[in-house]
Structures are given as C-alpha cells and as structure tokens.
Amino acid sequence: MLFDRAAKGKKSKELKGELKDLKKSLLNAGGEKAYVNEALRDYQAALEQGDTLREQYEEARRHLAQSRAAIERLLECMKESPVSEVKKSLDELMGDLDQVYHDCSIRDDDLDFQSTIQSLKQMAAEYEEHAAKAQTEAGSKLAAIMLRSELENVAAVLKDAAGWEEPDFFALAYYLGHENRGSLREMENAQRNSYLVDYCGERFWNRFLELCRRAEAEQTVRFMTRKYIYNTEESPSNS
C-alpha cells in the first residue's frame, strides 16, 4: 500500500507538470484563458478518475474470470470430489462472485443475477448439511442436480458478460463528472459504450482536441491519455 501511494503520488506530480506545459502550448496557440483553464480541469479530473475506474473494472473482471474457472472445475469434479472439498470450493466461489460487479459489466442492481446468486449462496451454505441428510441415492442425485443447475445458470451469465467490450474509461470518467450514473444502467453494453464516446466527444473532446491540434499538441494529449489511464508508454492509436 505504501508503494502504491508513492507511485500514485509520483504519477500525480508528473501529470501536473505535463498539464502545466500543455497549458502554455494551448495559450500560445490562441486558446482563450478561461476555456483553457476549464478544459484542463476537466481533462485532469477525467484522467485521474479514468485511472480509478479502469482499476475497478479490471478487478471486477479478474473476479469474473476466477468465478468462471471455479465453476468449470466444480462442474467437472463435483461428482467425484468429497463433500468437504466441494463445500470449500463453493465458499471460495462465493467470495469471487461478490466482487464481479461494475457499472460497465455485471451491475449490482441486476435483479435476475442477484436472485440466482442468492439461491446459489443458500445451496452453498447448506451443501454439507444437505449432502449428509441425503440418505438415499435418489436424494443425493437430486441435490447434485439442483446445485449443478444453479452453477450452470451463473456460468451462462458470466460467459455472456465476459464477451462484453470494456468502456472508454476517459469518456466514462468525463460523463460521471457531469451526469448521474444511474441513466447508464438501462443501456446494453455496446449502446452504453457508444453513448459515452459520443457524449464526451460532443461536450468536450472534439473541441479540446481541435485546440490541441492548433497547438501541435494532439499527439501529446493522446499519449497522456494512454499513459495516465492505461499506464502505458505506447503511442495511442485511438482517434
């Protein structure tokens, strides 16, 4: 944690220095001082928030991938594994499933998914007890079938979500800095991603980038966007 804070502090200091240089370039290119100041405040805020949003998204996707792998292992080995091992695997799975949520992935207000997860959690919590009470072969098979069915339902949702494209984190950060995030929750993934880019472009990015072109700072700004959100030194390819 100390290392992370030190790295973030260094990153913040570098960003402020680069923004100071960028401001000089924009003013020298004829940018109005009031607009340049406002635009750079918005730009800095979106870079910093975009970095945080990317980290949160990647963490959620990591748990999503771990959940998918855990379910796959359970479905393959549950029949042959001791009850105690299955119970342990289910408990670990529940821990990952609690952390798959993100506004641009599986949302925490997805009632269908929440209902399925609650059902699976109850089965997982009671699995050992129910397995011990299943005195007949038919009873044991029924309990296993019900658990397998819930695992497959969750796996289907996770597989679908795993195929979604990530958002433009700069556009998402800019949007969240000016609008209520609740309006995004009714949109499908592709629709939301496209809307965010259009919103940011129309209200900020297009005009800001045009001024940067006049100041011969377009590539600098694109580079900074990649650097401070995605932590890469590669030249940006987005337009």
Side-chain angles (χ1 to χ4, degrees), residues 180-207:
N180 189 309
R181 72 174 61 213
S183 58
L184 297 177
R185 295 192 166 192
E186 300 303 318
M187 300 182 188
E188 296 295 332
N189 185 67
Q191 178 192 14
R192 179 185 59 246
N193 290 350
S194 178
Y195 173 77
L196 289 170
V197 171
D198 290 344
Y199 178 96
C200 181
E202 292 170 4
R203 289 164 177 76
F204 173 75
W205 187 246
N206 294 342
R207 181 184 175 186

Side-chain angles (χ1 to χ4, degrees), residues 22 43 205 208-209 212 217-225:
L22 178 60
Y43 183 57
W205 187 246
F208 179 64
L209 202 60
C212 292
E218 177 183 357
Q219 293 307 313
T220 296
V221 167
R222 293 190 183 280
F223 174 81
M224 288 172 62
T225 304

Side-chain angles (χ1 to χ4, degrees), residues 9-194:
K10 179 182 178 183
K11 191 175 181 180
S12 178
K13 185 176 180 180
E14 289 178 357
L15 173 58
K16 289 177 181 177
E18 292 184 37
L19 288 171
K20 185 177 180 180
D21 291 340
L22 178 60
K23 180 178 179 178
K24 291 178 182 178
S25 298
L26 298 181
L27 291 174
N28 290 337
E32 297 178 4
K33 185 175 181 180
Y35 169 72
V36 170
N37 287 335
E38 179 184 2
L40 289 179
R41 281 196 298 269
D42 281 344
Y43 183 57
Q44 180 178 357
L47 289 181
E48 293 173 340
Q49 177 69 356
D51 182 35
T52 299
L53 291 168
R54 177 200 45 85
E55 289 179 347
Q56 293 171 343
Y57 180 85
E58 290 180 352
E59 180 70 4
R61 300 290 281 189
R62 182 174 68 82
H63 287 288
L64 189 153
Q66 289 176 181
S67 297
R68 292 187 68 198
I71 291 174
E72 184 176 343
R73 289 194 299 270
L74 277 164
L75 292 175
E76 288 179 354
C77 306
M78 189 169 57
K79 187 175 181 181
E80 293 81 14
S81 299
V83 170
S84 59
E85 289 186 10
V86 174
K87 179 64 167 56
K88 180 181 178 182
S89 296
L90 287 169
D91 290 343
E92 292 173 353
L93 170 62
M94 293 303 105
D96 277 319
L97 287 173
D98 282 338
Q99 300 180 73
V100 300
Y101 300 106
H102 189 278
D103 283 348
C104 295
S105 186
I106 299 174
R107 302 191 311 269
D108 58 11
D109 66 339
D110 186 329
L111 298 182
D112 290 339
F113 185 71
Q114 286 284 5
S115 177
T116 301
I117 291 299
Q118 289 305 315
S119 177
L120 181 58
K121 279 186 175 182
Q122 182 153 350
M123 285 188 179
E126 299 173 349
Y127 179 76
E128 201 166 19
E129 178 184 353
H130 284 180
K133 289 182 178 178
Q135 301 296 327
T136 66
E137 182 178 352
S140 297
K141 286 183 178 179
L142 179 60
I145 289 172
M146 292 176 64
L147 178 57
R148 178 177 291 273
S149 176
E150 285 302 300
L151 287 169
E152 289 173 345
N153 289 339
V154 174
V157 177
L158 297 180
K159 180 180 179 181
D160 184 47
W164 296 348
E165 292 185 0
E166 68 179 32
D168 181 316
F169 294 106
F170 181 88
L172 175 61
Y174 180 82
Y175 179 88
L176 295 179
H178 296 80
E179 304 288 348
N180 189 309
R181 72 174 61 213
S183 58
L184 297 177
R185 295 192 166 192
E186 300 303 318
M187 300 182 188
E188 296 295 332
N189 185 67
Q191 178 192 14
R192 179 185 59 246
N193 290 350
S194 178

